[in-house]
Amino acid sequence: MERISDIHLEAVRKYLQKQLETIEELKELVAQKYRWLPFPEPVEGSVYAVDGSRMMKRLSGAIVYAVSAAGIGENMYHWHEIGLVSPYKHVDERVRIHMEILEKRMGAMLGDMGADLILIDGTLSGSIIRPPTYIGSNTDKLYEKHKDNLYALSHGFLKLLDKKWEEWREQLESEGVINFPTLLSRGEAGKNIFEVLAEEGVQEAKGDWWKEDEEDIVIFLEYLELLHALDRLFAHNVASIAKTFYRDDIIRSVLKERIIPMLDAPVLDALSPERGYVPFWPQKEGEKTPTLIIDDLMDAGHFRNLLKVVDRKINGGKKTYSERINPFYIRFVDGGVVYLLEIPGHQDPVRTIALILSVSEDEYVVPLEYAHHAVVIKKPEFEAYVNAILSALVSEDERFLSFLRYGREPLE
């Protein structure tokens, strides 16, 4: 290995020394308003953790991907899907959302099955009323163009999701695994979603009004699936724990008008090494304007559980939303790693933390650790599985080959 450059070493040393000086300055200010609070006594209960994983392979004519979710507590549950998407429409985000849909569905169904608390790996706040950038403004344009038809289609789609929910939960509860396509927005049994909804009696799914914007409407329906899963999740007690986060809410709250580039975690770490938790108020990033059709669907009675964690306001005739998710920093052992904990505003935070403590061990939460290891999709296994599928298809019809070639084949 090449010898470390003295210049590089000195540059890093100077940066860290400067950071330590800044921490010392900020520590005194933070200590005036914040401190590590002692934990409550653990409370035993049925606590499940949910995590997800995804993997993709880019082919010449499509992208094949796998998404999985695992739920672990007293028992273990799995949800696996393989999907294909065109390689030109927001692929990475759509695959991420597909994974998140499975995670949130898994958590909600575990709540339906009696869990006292569902723990989500990551954050809750990033999912609520904050559509991916490619959905928001584009959906408003679609809604303006197809107003009544798109509204009726969405209403029928959400009713179909409610119907399918019972089937999926029964499968998960009885067999412990779902291993078939459940992303309804992509259609079912070889039929596109418009054909499926037409058979369900949604008259607005008929005709050809949707054909010009079919892909964009399907993308919007994928987002509706996420909101539907979130709505079901928030019917239960839920919390999230993030291992990686970059927040400076506490620093900004003590500095007022000054700006010093420093994150909360290292300052809190220097404040005290003790275990415990620190509640704080998120610094407002501005209220969000909802996607218009989502707002209208909420007015019609959809997403009632989601509205538990959202404040809706009207300012000057304009509706805005803000999330009601309370953040905490938490550390499970003295001198341990600081994590970000998020709890919905309507839940009792002390009881939620007490339930988490009943399944924590050393520096982390046992079910979350197990869920992470259980769900991860290993690249060699994914590649072997995909190659087996492709080989089987090409053996049926060699014309598939031009669509399923892999551009890196000559290099491997």
Side-chain angles (χ1 to χ4, degrees):
M1 181 176 177
E2 188 174 334
R3 182 178 178 276
I4 297 172
S5 165
D6 291 338
I7 296 174
H8 293 165
L9 189 63
E10 182 62 19
V12 174
R13 181 185 294 112
K14 285 182 177 178
Y15 171 81
L16 292 175
Q17 287 172 341
K18 179 64 177 175
Q19 293 295 95
L20 289 174
E21 291 170 9
T22 303
I23 287 172
E24 285 303 309
E25 177 187 351
L26 292 172
K27 190 169 69 171
E28 303 303 319
L29 290 172
V30 170
Q32 294 173 24
K33 292 181 63 176
Y34 298 92
R35 65 184 180 89
W36 287 96
L37 300 178
F39 280 140
E41 287 297 311
V43 170
E44 295 294 326
S46 175
V47 179
Y48 273 83
V50 176
D51 200 0
S53 182
R54 65 187 189 271
M55 185 71 69
M56 294 194 302
K57 181 170 184 173
R58 297 176 185 271
L59 307 173
S60 54
I63 292 173
V64 61
Y65 68 91
V67 287
S68 290
I72 294 183
E74 297 153 5
N75 297 300
M76 182 183 296
Y77 299 90
H78 288 277
W79 201 319
H80 309 295
E81 292 194 26
I82 294 283
L84 276 166
V85 287
S86 300
Y88 59 92
K89 281 274 188 177
H90 320 292
V91 172
D92 291 334
E93 272 292 283
R94 291 175 70 184
V95 171
R96 183 191 64 78
I97 283 180
H98 192 167
M99 180 191 75
E100 195 171 349
I101 289 167
L102 298 194
E103 287 178 332
K104 302 309 187 283
R105 282 178 180 169
M106 174 72 79
M109 289 183 185
L110 292 172
D112 290 350
M113 285 149 51
D116 296 310
L117 178 66
I118 301 107
L119 288 175
I120 302 293
D121 181 75
T123 62
L124 290 172
S125 58
S127 303
I128 303 168
I129 311 301
R130 189 182 301 172
T133 53
Y134 68 87
I135 286 177
S137 60
N138 192 45
T139 297
D140 287 343
K141 291 174 185 174
L142 279 175
Y143 195 35
E144 184 179 346
K145 182 177 179 181
H146 302 295
K147 189 81 174 180
D148 293 339
N149 281 330
L150 188 58
Y151 177 85
L153 189 83
S154 301
H155 178 73
F157 182 66
L158 290 169
K159 287 180 66 177
L160 180 58
L161 280 172
D162 284 338
K163 178 181 173 182
K164 292 292 181 181
W165 188 271
E166 304 307 320
E167 298 175 15
W168 297 334
R169 185 178 61 197
E170 191 174 302
Q171 170 92 17
L172 190 66
E173 190 168 10
S174 62
E175 299 188 21
V177 63
I178 291 177
N179 199 19
F180 53 85
T182 63
L183 196 66
L184 272 185
S185 45
R186 306 268 179 84
E188 189 177 44
K191 300 171 185 174
N192 67 35
I193 187 57
F194 306 97
E195 294 169 321
V196 172
L197 288 173
E199 290 181 358
E200 289 290 317
V202 179
Q203 294 300 315
E204 291 80 3
K206 299 175 181 178
D208 60 1
W209 64 270
W210 47 267
K211 289 185 178 178
E212 183 182 353
D213 298 305
E214 179 177 359
E215 188 76 358
D216 288 330
I217 293 171
V218 168
I219 287 171
F220 167 67
L221 294 180
E222 290 172 10
Y223 177 57
L224 270 192
E225 292 204 51
L226 174 60
L227 291 184
H228 181 270
L230 276 167
D231 183 65
R232 292 287 189 138
L233 178 66
F234 284 118
H236 308 286
N237 289 324
V238 60
S240 65
I241 297 179
K243 299 182 288 295
T244 304
F245 53 91
Y246 301 101
R247 299 191 65 150
D248 61 353
D249 302 77
I250 285 177
I251 301 302
R252 283 194 285 162
S253 73
V254 301
L255 288 176
K256 305 298 184 186
E257 301 301 320
R258 294 172 60 200
I259 297 176
I260 296 179
M262 176 60 66
L263 298 173
D264 291 339
V267 178
L268 287 173
D269 208 29
L271 196 65
S272 167
E274 62 189 320
R275 67 196 291 264
Y277 67 103
V278 180
F280 64 95
W281 288 103
Q283 297 297 298
K284 286 190 176 180
E285 299 176 356
E287 294 175 326
K288 305 167 188 71
T289 302
T291 303
L292 296 176
I293 188 171
I294 300 300
D295 193 52
D296 286 348
L297 288 167
M298 284 180 166
D299 284 341
H302 293 287
F303 308 123
R304 292 189 179 278
N305 296 311
L306 196 54
L307 284 170
K308 293 178 184 177
V309 294
V310 171
D311 283 327
R312 303 170 83 195
K313 298 177 183 176
I314 300 178
N315 295 322
K318 181 180 179 182
K319 288 185 179 179
T320 60
Y321 286 58
S322 56
E323 295 155 359
R324 293 177 57 244
I325 300 288
N326 293 332
F328 303 80
Y329 293 116
I330 190 167
R331 182 163 52 195
F332 294 105
V333 296
D334 291 348
V337 176
V338 177
Y339 300 104
L340 174 66
L341 168 68
E342 290 186 339
I343 300 174
H346 63 281
Q347 280 179 218
D348 179 352
V350 175
R351 174 172 171 76
T352 300
I353 291 171
L355 282 166
I356 294 171
L357 291 174
S358 72
V359 292
S360 68
E361 185 176 292
D362 296 327
E363 286 198 56
Y364 201 46
V365 179
V366 174
L368 275 175
E369 184 177 352
Y370 287 172
H372 170 76
H373 291 297
V375 79
V376 66
I377 301 171
K378 295 181 175 63
K379 193 172 190 301
E381 294 174 4
F382 171 72
E383 293 275 357
Y385 188 72
V386 170
N387 288 338
I389 290 175
L390 300 184
S391 296
L393 290 172
V394 171
S395 67
E396 290 178 15
D397 191 334
E398 289 188 0
R399 291 175 299 174
F400 290 153
L401 185 60
S402 61
F403 190 75
L404 301 175
R405 295 300 296 267
Y406 178 42
R408 295 184 63 85
E409 283 177 2
L411 305 178
E412 296 181 349

